[in-house]
Amino acid sequence: MDNTLENRRVIAVVPAYNERDNIVSTIEDLQSNAPGVDYVIVNDGSKDDTLSICREHGYNVIDLPVNLGLAGAFQTGMRYAYGHGYDYAIQFDADGQHSAAYIAEMVHVAEEKGANIVIGSRFATQKKPVSARMAGSVLISAMIMLTTRKRIQDPTSGMRLFDKQMIPLFANELDFGPEPDTISLLMRWGYKVEETQVEMRERVAGESYLNFTKSVAYMLRMSISILLVQWFRRKK
């Protein structure tokens, strides 16, 4: 086990909505590749048997009786992390796209560079491909650059580490979601954000929170929020 993890309490927050086909492999990945990291699954009102599978395997799971969406499920997990005194919390997808093998390096980057947030980036050292799919990411990166004068190569990455200063903010503030606009806001407030290169897998089963139409709306909403809305929020 990595020495960094031996000296820090780290938890993976795993929001899960209809992930019956992926949840076991996701938790097995965490157990195999990040054995020093705890986890909490937040079952976000799944309509399939995600919850029963978690209980059959004895997983640490919080069951939400209704679907709150990613922000609500993530906040639930962050409240758990805050209440249990963790040093770091990792936003970790239940769909198998994230690899637990990178968690130790993310903690190391946070320790070495004094970062409040570390983004597991697909493009920290690799060039971002030119495609319609990446157009939204490019737009959000540009909005962050315009408002913070700092570049984030992979603002839509869902694999993020949050330190002990960030955990209570995301646990208690209703308008703090695990989204690029909040990351941009925190950067403007002076918190430090770093990126480290990771590889991500394609989803092989189940349904994403975002379909194509929702993805387009999401990119536009994030850009408008970063450029305009966030300027009206006061520092916590």
Side-chain angles (χ1 to χ4, degrees), residues 122-123 128-139 154 156 219:
R122 294 162 289 183
F123 313 118
K128 187 178 293 187
V130 178
S131 68
R133 186 178 180 182
M134 285 293 110
S137 177
V138 171
L139 178 61
D154 195 1
T156 61
M219 297 299 180

Side-chain angles (χ1 to χ4, degrees), residues 128 135-153 155-156 180-185 187-188 218-231:
K128 187 178 293 187
S137 177
V138 171
L139 178 61
I140 292 174
S141 290
M143 294 300 100
I144 293 175
M145 183 67 179
L146 182 64
T147 55
T148 69
R149 303 300 179 191
K150 297 177 182 177
R151 186 174 298 281
I152 298 297
Q153 298 289 357
T156 61
D181 57 346
T182 302
I183 303 301
S184 176
L185 176 71
M187 291 169 66
R188 275 204 304 110
Y218 168 83
M219 297 299 180
L220 292 174
R221 186 174 72 252
M222 285 297 107
S223 297
I224 293 170
S225 180
I226 291 167
L227 193 60
L228 298 173
V229 177
Q230 302 306 315
W231 293 93

